[in-house]
Amino acid sequence: MSTALIDLNADLGEGFGRWRLTDDEELLSVVTSANVACGFHAGDAVTMRRVCDRAAERGVRIGAQVSYRDLAGFGRRAMDVPAEELAAEVAYQIGALEVFARAAGTRVSYVKPHGALYNRVVHDEYQARAVVDGVLLADDSLPLLGLPGSRLLETAEKAGLPTVTEAFADRAYTDEGTLVPRTDEGAVITEEDTVVTRSVGMARLGVVTSQGGREIPVHARSLCLHGDTPGAVGLARRVRAELESAGVRVEAFA
């Protein structure tokens, strides 16, 4: 079998003050890229610094997970933000994380939108352009991580930004290749064997079965493992072990 290559990313730093949602320490021993919350949907200065320090120690790439300004809704509520404001807020979040990444002896290596913003820029060219403008304002060498075929990646490529495609091991797909909304039944896949099988299939064969039963192409360089679900660490370890057993090389894209 030919050798496939995949990055494993997870959302980390998703706490605030004394509240912690993700097991950052353990997940950093599994993933190769860390999407770090930058304070708008979760995270704070101390959390960002701690995650950057640990990621740097373990050679995990640091990504800025930018979001709508929505702490109360965890960045998962639909919002209409003017383009100029959204671009500035994206740049602001990247800049905040960069301070702590550099203090840890590394740097922010990529950008990934979170939650409602992630889903919005799959189809919305106006908001996608604002996110791209924000990244350009912060650092025009930063890759954008997103869904294949999205307006975000299309707009980024036109603007000269590097792009990286990703897939989701534990999220259901529509027949069109987009993610099933979290408000729909079955949007999040919790059965471990199914998540593992899908992960290997996406990495080795570039396909996944949609919620409607269709086999759809998924060409991704990175695989997202959610860290805010029960048993996330154990599942992440199992996914990585099964990928490597199947001949997939797990390696950061940045």
Side-chain angles (χ1 to χ4, degrees):
M1 292 187 294
S2 60
T3 301
L5 183 65
I6 200 78
D7 166 72
L8 293 181
N9 77 77
D11 302 346
L12 302 182
E14 291 186 330
F16 194 82
R18 298 175 65 182
W19 172 68
R20 295 190 189 184
L21 179 62
T22 50
D23 190 342
D24 298 334
E25 295 283 345
E26 293 301 321
L27 283 168
L28 283 169
S29 68
V30 181
V31 301
T32 46
S33 297
N35 317 315
V36 184
C38 300
F40 272 38
H41 74 280
D44 54 37
V46 173
T47 303
M48 285 191 282
R49 182 172 186 180
R50 181 178 63 246
V51 175
C52 285
D53 286 347
R54 300 297 181 273
E57 289 169 2
R58 300 184 183 192
V60 175
R61 301 297 187 270
I62 295 170
Q65 185 155 49
V66 298
S67 171
Y68 288 128
R69 188 189 291 270
D70 182 28
L71 268 178
F74 195 59
R76 288 182 175 161
R77 297 185 292 192
M79 304 181 78
D80 288 314
V81 182
E84 184 178 1
E85 182 179 339
L86 181 57
E89 291 189 340
V90 166
Y92 178 91
Q93 292 175 78
I94 297 168
L97 188 63
E98 179 70 8
V99 169
F100 299 117
R102 288 194 178 277
T106 183
R107 64 185 296 269
V108 171
S109 296
Y110 65 95
V111 178
K112 176 183 174 178
H114 166 82
L117 182 58
Y118 187 99
N119 292 322
R120 181 72 170 268
V121 296
V122 170
H123 303 292
D124 190 322
E125 187 173 353
Y126 178 79
Q127 295 276 278
R129 179 72 238 186
V131 172
V132 168
D133 285 345
V135 177
L136 290 170
L137 182 61
D139 184 342
D140 62 9
S141 70
L142 288 174
L144 260 169
L145 180 62
L147 204 65
S150 65
R151 291 289 189 183
L152 177 68
L153 297 193
E154 179 183 298
T155 304
E157 287 171 358
K158 289 179 180 177
L161 281 175
T163 60
V164 181
T165 54
E166 74 169 334
F168 291 79
D170 58 358
R171 290 292 307 278
Y173 280 78
T174 67
D175 289 347
E176 292 72 40
T178 59
L179 300 180
V180 172
R182 280 182 175 269
T183 52
D184 292 1
E185 185 177 353
V188 179
I189 298 167
T190 57
E191 210 288 313
E192 286 198 6
D193 288 342
T194 302
V195 174
V196 172
T197 300
R198 284 160 53 92
S199 299
V200 175
M202 287 188 281
R204 283 213 56 81
L205 305 175
V207 296
V208 68
T209 302
S210 72
Q211 195 176 55
R214 293 180 57 186
E215 191 174 87
I216 57 175
V218 178
H219 302 295
R221 175 62 178 83
S222 187
L223 184 66
C224 180
L225 303 171
H226 282 102
D228 60 348
T229 53
V233 173
L235 179 56
R237 286 182 176 143
R238 186 178 168 194
V239 166
R240 177 158 186 167
E242 291 294 335
L243 285 169
E244 292 174 336
S245 293
V248 179
R249 191 164 84 245
V250 178
E251 184 179 294
F253 61 81

